């Protein structure tokens, strides 16, 4: 059985679902991961309109595409964050409201509960998203960071997300956290701390996206081996480090695509992320879900890139052997 | 002429100046960089007490120590920062006040002006410190960061520090900005942007501390060559990268000295910072100031470390040649 | 003239020759290297049955496949080895007998002589195989290894293989030794010592398999340059080093395909072996034989892999130029 | 709009233009860069024969090939060089004459002026070539090199090429200097010095060929960022470093293709030159010209190589995006 | 409190204890680790002669040297090994006997029980040694190694050493296993397997010797972090990798000191072993025992080396801090 | 026996021999290598003045310094070189004469013969120097270099130096050629070619100076192993590579000490040259001569550097062992 390769719709959310599905099918994808924004999956409508799930399914079915995962990267970010003007620009007005930070966080929390319910209605078993963090910016260590302030940040995360996960449990849906700098967990050590803070709840796992580890100079396959049983979903996105002693790993407040950055996202297969070793590791730890292409490259046309990515991954998603290659080393007479 | 090697008093601010000076002299330092906190230089007293400067000078003179640089790392950090509980713990009560952020920032700004005056009273020509930044935490790029928000951050910096630098100009003192992650400038590109924002004022230069570049994977000597004429002062502090694919360059919310961190400060000569190449580069760009040891190592006794550091740097601060080694390649007859 | 690309049958010895030949031809191979075990080449039958050679040739001819090389990796290993239960599992009962070590070694030796004769009967000019070694396990140096014990091991090898090579000379067939850890030679220095021990006999050369050098951290193309005139045959097998400070180059007693190993065999084109540089070097030293794919990958289906490998090598087996690219740099008028 | 990919005719100058054009078109090239030697562009004839330009254009048009660049690598080399027997072998007899060095240099200079005129006649806007250098061999530093001797070399270059560039300006044609060891500029620092020597004339820019930087261990994309606005043309040629501690970067007086060299030219896509990063950098600095394949590989048939190279570059010459991938991150309701 | 630095007597066992102790004291060592061979600690005599322990202690006391660790590297090796002529040369005749392998192993086992008793008599709490292994030579994977054969090897180890450890428990002494290639455990994974096989008995821990990890390309400090609580003792020995593509990591059957080897032992401070990072890690995991210099360098005089090593380690065994360096960052007023 | 450490006088040739000898002795050197220029060894005078040798010896003896090696780096360079203004500046007027190239070369050749005689008179057994080369500048490969032109260069070298070596043989003195870029041999391959050209004469060997290999990215210890029996003398000079992608290995026509260079000479112990591995290799190949410090560092005072260098090398010139460290691994009873 070959691995399923899906396309995340987030970077195509300006297209109608129909248009997006037609393209994805045409490029050869097996399924999609639908974003809960733009023209795509509308969570409030999913809850209030009993026919909506079927309408969306019909579109995907017509294109021959599966979908078991939906994504809420925008709203979920606001659950624990210190809120500022960047959030206003990506949140729906009903979540932003008057922008008072705690109000925004509380409304985002409620919407995440609704998203769990929407996933269930739609027949998806996994919601992908972020957590936000009230303490990420402490990482640089100055002013000195007393241990209790870090503890407070994890407690804040645990309190807010425990309430959300109660809803996920109620609807039988899992949350796949995309760990990255900016979130409550961004590497093995902080992710473990987050898991511990939340008591190791089975409904809280990971959306493995290697690029966020890559620019931290972390070993992506080692991460897969360590967290194998907590990986609920995988994003295939690529990144390229351009560290030459002049370009900081912190990206110098420069936008994606600027060559002054020390690293950047690039189309799958155009970067340094060791996909073959990652996929072999996913095989080894028993991950059976899809490889979902999240397409981000500031120097390439998105349609050219998405079309090319599926073929690249297809070549690496080879079949497992049925027997050891040394099994025929014996000589009958 | 050998290079002057001085000791920064910030990590010894619990000792009286007398005690600190006696130790520094005993270890072999030529002078000190006095911190404006703890038991050391008191800025308000310097302004209100005409005899204070002489008292402090007398202590240093008795120990045979020079001092042309004072440091204000704690208060200066608050000038542009988003203020939180970490600042409360390092700021004097008179600056913290009720903790309302803009009030804290404004009082910190006034204190920096006073620090310029205090430097002049004391006979120091340079104040070392930070700038703070209202936008550093945007570096990770999520939620998406519109260009104008970054612009706003530099404008905020420029407005606040222009007022402070007016005071520095008035008193004939220079501000040496210690660029590092957390500040308005933290690598060559963001430092240039800060210089541009402030109009290239001659009283605003750099306190070069290689460790802050080190964990960003930047080339420290290249930085010296690029910013040679803007280096007002140099901190000799060492750092060790422990990047092994499991430890993030972002340090995982772990305190100094924890082996889970991807990097750490260590005593001068115990890390990876290429001091010989840095000092050769400082020679080449004409830097004539002291090398000031800022001692930070969470696994070593500070007195053992400070005593050892001066000898290490002394060996690298060798004399320049008076002629080329090839100048005697000629054969008279 | 393009380079011939062949497929080694050892890992497919559970298939009948017909089935194997049909697949190899279908995947695009030019020929095969037949294993002397499993369903493939039967040495005793080749000697006793005058029609057998023709039958096998007919099968290959029908599939359009050449075959000038046969392989005896299982029996040859027993010639010099300390015999244990591992040998029992791969040797034919007639060689194993009662398992008494010296008896096993002697019977293996006789079979190797027969294999030379079988090759001649079949019309193959080269037999590929191992040597075994009574001293390989001394490599780690403890208990201390007196020089004479190592000498004894090479003498033992020379005595046994000289007798075998007499038979090879008699039948006009060459033996291509696949040097690897476990054998009397496993790197340039030990291979030279083996050549010296055996007096540099022209019928004893190498089956170059880069993977065995790879995990010893050796430079494969340098090896080709050094032993160019002794390379009788080439195995194209790939390997991937996974050395990350946690995984030993010695593979930790873990089976192939286990991610805890510090290295592993992988399908050709999926590892780190520098095939282009190797093939360019083989061109340069004048190697004119086939590139024989030995397929070993514990994480990939063998048929998918073998089918893909031939195309990968085909792209690297490009034609040599007929003239220098700078030969048209001249201007007539 | 896709990037134009052209083929340089220099390595095919033994073929007639017709034959060369037919092959280039067949392999999929968009255009050609014609060499001013061999069977290709004849400068004297272009000046004396008013119909010659049309004849050549007709041949290219028939093959569907564009041509805006012509090349004069042979004659241009002689302008500043110390002349020796190597020059005799590549120069037309009318330039070589009696071989007296200054006479050769002067005649080469005149021919370069004619080449500018020929380019204009033919409708090409750029001439590619070298400069030669009277001082390159001083690079090794022994006997000691007084600064004024280096100055003299740049002055000599400036005097000779200023006269040539007057002709280029007159005919509205640009000269694209292919900087490499052997020329007046061979890295960023010496190129800047050459630009300065010649007063930054706008008609004197660069033909960027990454291989010449490669074996000097220079960062090719960094070079593109630094000289972006001075790049008039790009040669795509590949190189492979074989530095293993035994092979010198200086190539040991060995011919191309010899494995003892520390580096060598290889067919595009078979070396270490980071073409994707280079092309992304060329996009970023706004280079809009063609990628011209200069085919040099001493171990590969030129036709196989040239046919393969165009496809390799085509895959990297992807379209730029019309909008940021994060532009659809917003949720309407 | 400074770390204790001791000298292992094994490489000086041709000297009398008196002579050895005098030298060790003179070079500045704090104590010794006595070898149970040569002129040094005699196990049978310790058991039969009630005054022997006091005599030895008196010699050490006179020299001002402590001793809490004794070593049995020779006999312990024979417990699980396949016995051959190498063992004969290092075993006492009473253990070797007639050389019949199982008899040798059994007598070695008994002697190890006696060694535990001798340690108790002498007042040492730790015995350092090896385990031997019946399966180490399987590591290269050929002939194919069925999983059950590896299991058998661990079971054999567990059976033999459980009996020995019963004696250790009886006498209240610990066994510190020096894991290295050749033993039942030689890297993290095989050591864990050995610990598991033996049921995690508290009296079986490690003698950490980084050199054995070094040539396997393992990360020594990572090992310390992983096995911190199982490290009973530490050997400071250094090694130098000479991997240049021509020299195998397997050492090519060459003796120590031969430059053809891919690695070699060298005097402490002359190799690549990261001692500072190791010692910082030992501090962090709470290891409080001595650093015991095991001196091995085939190119240096042993007395020059041992004398130099203690000073090298002394400089790295610095005191821990009593408070964080940031603890004085606060400004009273 | 410790290794002798000497100081080359070339960089101190402006001092009188007395002054130089006094300093060298004071810094701790065992002997000197005298330059045949400046204030030091005068070859014509050595030949015409029978008392001169004794006078010089007396000065050295008074200082307790040995001298068995003299150096002629300036004149020897002219023997094969294309002569230009750089030579004029370092040659004595009697050699330069009217500057006509062949005349200069011939007079340099005669002086080298006299230098052999002067060495014999003085009691030195070795003359160190260069060869020059008429073809070094061909190394960059453009214009194309026909093989016969390279052959011509080696033949020219062989002709001129054969005549010189006849004189060396006559006087029983050896010539130690300092191979470096600019000479007829500059790496292993070109040196072998030079040896072959000159018929492997025993009086022509090497002055091993690792810095010249260093910037070619060659493995210095590998070179020692390869040419062990041809090393007549060793220069200890250090170098530092500063290759960062912006600085060429070819040094950009910049003078020593300029930070824009890709490499530079530095004082011994301040660069990257692996002296310990080199000295261990010299021990292994049986080199018994002195280590001669050639001091060159454009950023350090020469006296500080020369004083420091002897101590650095002294620490690496340790004694060889008298027995293997494993020789006491045996247990008597």
């Amino acid at each position: 059985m070959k691995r399923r390769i899906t396309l995340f719709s987030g970077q195509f959310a300006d297209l109608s679902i129909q248009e997006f599905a037609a393209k994805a099918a045409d490029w050869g994808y097996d399924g999609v991961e639908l974003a809960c924004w733009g023209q795509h999956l509308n969570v409030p409508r999913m809850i209030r309109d009993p026919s909506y799930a079927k309408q969306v399914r019909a579109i995907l079915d017509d294109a021959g595409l599966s979908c078991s995962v939906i994504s809420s990267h925008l709203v979920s970010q606001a659950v624990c964050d210190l809120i500022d003007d960047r959030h206003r620009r990506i949140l729906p007005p009903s979540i932003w409201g008057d922008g008072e930070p705690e109000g925004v966080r509380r409304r985002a929390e409620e919407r995440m509960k609704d998203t769990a319910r929407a996933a269930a209605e739609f027949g998806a078993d996994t919601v992908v998203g972020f957590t936000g963090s009230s303490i990420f910016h402490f990482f640089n260590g100055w002013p000195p960071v007393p241990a209790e302030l870090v503890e407070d940040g994890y407690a804040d995360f645990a309190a807010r997300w425990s309430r959300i996960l109660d809803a996920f449990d109620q609807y039988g849906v899992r949350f796949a956290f995309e760990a990255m700098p900016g979130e409550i967990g961004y590497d093995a050590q902080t992710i473990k701390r987050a898991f511990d803070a939340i008591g190791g709840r089975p409904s809280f796992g990971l959306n493995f996206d290697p690029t966020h580890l890559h620019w931290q100079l972390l070993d992506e396959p080692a991460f897969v081996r360590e967290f194998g049983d907590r990986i609920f979903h995988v994003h295939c996105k690529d990144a390229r480090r351009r560290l030459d002693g002049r370009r900081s790993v912190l990206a110098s407040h420069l936008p994606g695509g600027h060559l002054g950055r020390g690293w950047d996202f690039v189309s799958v297969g155009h970067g340094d992320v060791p996909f073959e070793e990652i996929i072999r590791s996913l095989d080894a730890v028993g991950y059976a879900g899809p490889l979902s292409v999240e397409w981000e490259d500031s120097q390439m046309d998105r349609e050219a890139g998405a079309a090319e990515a599926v073929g690249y991954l297809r070549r690496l998603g080879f079949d497992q052997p049925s027997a050891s290659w040394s099994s025929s080393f014996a000589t009958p007479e």
Side-chain angles (χ1 to χ4, degrees), chain A:
Chain A
M1 187 216 68
K2 296 264 184 235
R3 218 173 245 301
R4 233 167 358 112
I5 301 177
T6 56
L7 182 62
F8 176 39
S9 81
Q11 284 74 13
F12 300 84
D14 55 315
L15 307 179
S16 69
I17 296 195
Q18 287 86 340
E19 202 177 347
F20 170 71
K23 286 176 186 286
D26 187 46
W27 294 325
Y29 286 91
D30 302 311
V32 296
E33 171 193 349
L34 282 186
C36 295
W37 65 83
Q39 308 273 338
H40 296 190
L41 214 77
N42 188 302
V43 168
R45 184 169 165 200
M46 188 66 76
I47 286 173
R48 72 174 182 260
D49 175 354
S51 69
Y52 181 57
K54 276 190 191 153
Q55 294 170 34
V56 176
R57 276 290 166 201
I59 293 167
L60 299 181
D61 289 349
D62 283 357
L65 297 167
S66 66
C67 179
S68 62
V69 180
I70 66 172
S71 294
S72 180
H73 288 80
L74 308 188
V75 170
S76 59
Q77 181 66 37
V79 172
C80 293
D81 259 16
L82 304 188
I83 302 298
D84 62 38
D85 200 55
R86 296 171 304 162
H87 299 82
R88 182 181 59 78
R89 295 165 191 241
I90 60 169
L91 288 175
S94 63
I95 305 296
W96 177 258
D98 61 1
E100 187 277 320
E102 184 58 16
V104 174
R105 285 189 286 263
R106 288 294 179 148
R107 286 186 293 276
E109 181 182 320
E110 291 310 311
R111 174 62 56 88
M112 288 312 298
K113 294 175 188 169
D114 287 349
T115 305
R117 181 172 161 200
E121 297 284 345
F122 181 59
D125 55 26
T126 304
V127 173
V128 168
F130 296 121
T131 58
S133 169
S134 60
I135 55 168
F136 173 70
H137 61 295
F138 289 2
F139 85 94
N140 68 320
W142 183 259
V145 184
E148 65 264 32
L149 292 193
V150 176
E151 290 298 339
D152 290 352
Y154 281 93
D156 178 73
F157 153 74
R160 296 178 193 275
W161 279 90
S162 291
R163 295 190 297 260
I164 294 170
L165 292 172
D166 288 344
F168 273 77
D169 286 347
Q170 178 186 345
Y171 297 111
V173 175
R174 305 182 306 177
F175 183 71
F177 164 43
E178 182 166 331
M180 76 168 184
E183 311 306 323
I184 196 66
Y186 51 92
D187 68 355
Q189 300 180 90
T190 51
I191 289 170
K192 270 192 221 146
R193 197 163 180 176
F195 283 159
D196 288 348
I198 210 150
R201 292 179 72 139
S203 52
F204 187 81
L206 295 171
N207 177 51
F208 174 68
D209 183 331
T211 56
H212 306 311
L213 303 175
H214 190 71
W215 68 263
Q216 295 181 74
L217 285 88
L218 295 168
D219 179 333
E220 305 92 339
F223 185 93
V224 171
R225 293 196 303 280
E226 183 167 359
F227 288 97
D229 59 341
R230 306 299 293 166
I231 295 178
F232 290 174
H233 193 240
V234 172
H235 266 186
C236 290
K237 194 158 91 230
D238 212 340
R240 186 177 272 255
R241 287 196 292 248
R242 291 177 168 131
L243 301 174
D244 64 352
R246 265 72 168 192
R247 297 186 281 201
S248 168
V249 73
L250 299 184
S252 311
H253 288 318
L254 295 169
H258 193 296
L259 293 178
R261 293 171 58 97
W263 69 276
D264 215 337
F265 294 120
V266 291
S267 191
V268 173
H270 291 257
D272 316 317
V273 171
F275 276 108
E276 176 156 2
E277 195 65 20
I278 287 172
I279 295 173
R280 285 176 180 260
S281 300
L282 288 167
D283 285 350
V285 300
Y287 173 73
L291 301 175
S292 183
V293 171
E294 183 183 25
W295 198 84
E296 299 187 357
D297 188 326
S298 300
Q299 298 182 285
M300 192 192 287
D301 175 73
R302 69 181 175 182
E303 303 210 359
E308 184 192 63
V310 64
Y312 175 81
L313 292 173
R314 203 65 95 190
R315 283 190 295 279
L316 300 180
F318 35 73
D319 281 345
Q320 299 283 303
S322 51
S324 162
W325 50 261
S326 61
S327 60
S328 51
F329 286 170
T331 304
E333 268 169 305

